[in-house]
Amino acid sequence: MRTIVMKRRAVALLGVGVLALSACGGGEGGGGSGSSGASDAGGAEAAPASDRTEVGALTPRIVLAHEGGVTTLDSADGATLGTAEVEGYVRLNPAGDGRHVAVSASDAITMYDTGLLAQGHGDHFHYYVQDPALTGLAIEAPMPGHVVPHGDRTALFADGTGAITLLDPLALAEGDLGVLEETVTESPHHGVAVPLSDGGLLLTQGTEDARSTVQVLDADGEVTAETTDCPGVHGEAAALPTASGDVISLGCENGSVIYRDGEFHKVAIEGDYQRSGNQKGHADSPIVLADHKVEAEPEGGIERPTEIALIDTRDATQKIVDLGSEYWFRSLDRGPNGEALVLTTEGELNILDPETGEMLHEVPVTGEWAEPEQWQEAAPMMAVADGTAFVVDPAAKKLVMVDVASGESYRELELPVVPHEIQVTTGTASGEYEIAPGTDDHEGHDH
């Protein structure tokens, strides 16, 4: 049953909403105050407005998950800005507003305020900073799973119950979870939900034992499209939309499936098995970057691929590129112009043209490494924001910043912790500092 908790606000996020993949382990391993499953207690409140400082520009903040909690660093000099204690294994996902990070741990998803604020005043912005803080804004989510921002909504999926909670991320700055809708799948499973721009919702159906169904619901909760040909469905990414709406790619174990123009389209593969369970899209690119696994029963239980897939959502085809080096699920991301980024075990950041697969840059960033036996363990990873790839080498406790356009490393930071996940916030929903001015009435201002 789909429940409308409150009317969806007719507002747009600052910048362009970009769907971010909440990656899961390569082996499969979630209301406003007072609504079902929501809470405004259980954590420190964000710093009050009086603690804010106005600044001339915002510097991206690096959020690291590690044993015992979350630590935030200033990307300019590596200074520790704040640390929050969190029990259990911590996962990080963008909340959708460019300021908050969704922290998944134990049986809840809690919002973490990174303290970056961009406020539009007519033809310009004012920028503020404050101390980062773990807020009391939380959703009960047994076995918390994927968190997917898309358009002006963010979907939280609880694997343990199949519950889906849709939030308005702009409400977070007001100290409110902004719950818009709550629904639930037919059975609990390791699933995902993607908010659609027309008010609809794409979601998976399945059980703890198997899942192969993807559905699209309209704004009234009616099924308008469905495929049952996506065994082991996992991983989602949004690509350049068409004139008729969103384009979403999902990984399956027999080739990916693409939702486009109101229908599902199957990507043809060679053989019977091909899994692209970790995918990265870009709002301005029709190409989706994905891992490429072809072993149904890999030796030792872990396939270590050297090939990636570049999925063309326009015609449901894919180009396979062999990098000649292994990578893992935390190795994939996209650059500001849609560049395909892959961090390999040789210690290089590969930057590719997504249309052709041509190598644009090979940047040494870490020492050689190997994928750990358990996906929860720390190993090299990255996040991309404001045109920069933030590459972490946990073993060395180092972070290297790479300008994606030029392929040049320009800064290295010492890390105070050994992180296993990273998110970077810029204060804007797009992740890019260049954002369009707001539309607030500027009359009465003298500056």
Side-chain angles (χ1 to χ4, degrees):
M1 184 177 74
R2 194 173 185 191
T3 303
I4 307 299
V5 177
M6 57 185 286
K7 184 177 181 181
R8 187 157 65 91
R9 302 192 310 173
V11 294
L13 293 175
L14 289 174
V16 181
V18 178
L19 176 66
L21 167 68
S22 170
C24 286
E28 306 299 332
S33 300
S35 70
S36 176
S39 171
D40 61 0
E45 294 298 334
S50 60
D51 291 343
R52 297 175 184 171
T53 301
E54 185 165 6
V55 294
L58 298 179
T59 301
R61 292 188 167 182
I62 302 164
V63 185
L64 303 172
H66 52 86
E67 184 176 358
V70 176
T71 294
T72 300
L73 308 179
D74 189 330
S75 65
D77 56 11
T80 298
L81 301 174
T83 297
E85 294 184 1
V86 181
E87 294 183 359
Y89 186 75
V90 180
R91 308 290 314 272
L92 303 176
N93 293 280
D97 65 345
R99 168 179 167 181
H100 291 80
V101 170
V103 176
S104 301
S106 300
D107 288 331
I109 300 175
T110 305
M111 298 301 162
Y112 180 79
D113 187 350
T114 65
L116 294 177
L117 297 80
Q119 295 183 347
H121 283 183
D123 61 354
H124 68 276
F125 279 83
H126 288 256
Y127 305 105
Y128 303 87
V129 295
Q130 61 189 42
D131 291 340
L134 188 67
T135 76
L137 302 175
I139 293 288
E140 294 177 11
M143 300 176 64
H146 288 234
V147 177
V148 180
H150 186 53
D152 59 2
R153 296 180 294 165
T154 299
L156 285 60
F157 197 99
D159 291 353
T161 60
I164 299 167
T165 305
L166 297 175
L167 307 181
D168 173 1
L170 289 183
L172 297 175
E174 303 166 4
D176 187 348
L177 274 170
V179 174
L180 302 171
E181 301 177 22
E182 294 173 326
T183 189
V184 65
T185 58
E186 295 171 4
S187 300
H189 66 285
H190 182 48
V192 68
V194 182
L196 300 179
S197 300
D198 62 2
L201 182 68
L202 181 148
L203 55 83
T204 58
Q205 296 283 3
T207 67
E208 294 179 356
D209 299 321
R211 55 189 190 275
S212 60
T213 298
V214 186
Q215 296 176 330
V216 171
L217 311 182
D218 64 16
D220 296 321
E222 299 297 322
V223 176
T224 60
E226 178 178 283
T227 179
T228 59
D229 190 17
C230 190
V233 56
H234 185 275
E236 79 296 321
L240 177 71
T242 66
S244 61
D246 297 302
V247 175
I248 310 295
S249 175
L250 299 105
C252 316
E253 293 176 352
N254 62 348
S256 296
V257 68
I258 296 166
Y259 175 71
R260 186 192 71 242
D261 299 329
E263 299 178 341
F264 286 100
H265 307 266
K266 194 69 177 176
V267 176
I269 63 169
E270 296 182 4
D272 297 325
Y273 184 90
Q274 190 272 319
R275 184 179 189 273
S276 292
N278 298 286
Q279 305 197 0
K280 287 285 184 178
H282 189 279
D284 297 325
S285 172
I287 308 299
V288 168
L289 167 66
D291 55 355
H292 181 68
K293 296 184 176 182
V294 295
E295 301 176 17
E297 298 181 0
E299 184 177 354
I302 300 177
E303 181 178 355
R304 293 179 167 85
T306 63
E307 295 179 332
I308 59 166
L310 297 172
I311 302 169
D312 193 330
T313 61
R314 293 167 295 194
D315 58 8
T317 62
Q318 62 183 3
K319 181 189 300 291
I320 307 303
V321 179
D322 193 341
L323 303 174
S325 182
E326 299 171 2
Y327 61 92
W328 74 325
F329 79 99
R330 289 192 172 107
S331 290
L332 309 176
D333 216 322
R334 301 299 291 271
N337 295 311
E339 301 94 336
L341 276 61
V342 187
L343 179 61
T344 71
T345 58
E346 290 182 351
E348 289 186 337
L349 176 60
N350 290 180
I351 304 175
L352 298 90
D353 182 316
E355 292 274 0
T356 66
E358 175 190 359
M359 188 71 68
L360 302 176
H361 306 289
E362 294 177 89
V363 190
V365 285
T366 73
E368 292 189 8
W369 55 281
E371 178 179 353
E373 294 296 320
Q374 301 295 327
W375 67 265
Q376 295 93 338
E377 296 177 23
M381 58 190 167
M382 68 175 158
V384 178
D386 200 27
T388 294
F390 296 78
V391 182
V392 174
D393 185 346
K397 296 178 71 172
K398 299 277 189 182
L399 183 147
V400 176
M401 299 183 200
V402 178
D403 177 72
V404 175
S406 67
E408 297 294 326
S409 302
Y410 68 89
R411 186 174 300 151
E412 182 176 299
L413 303 178
E414 301 274 350
L415 300 180
V417 295
V418 178
H420 58 258
E421 286 207 351
I422 179 174
Q423 287 289 327
V424 178
T425 61
T426 63
T428 70
S430 69
E432 301 300 317
Y433 189 70
E434 297 293 332
I435 53 179
T439 57
D440 293 351
D441 186 354
H442 197 57
E443 292 184 7
H445 287 267
D446 59 359
H447 58 281

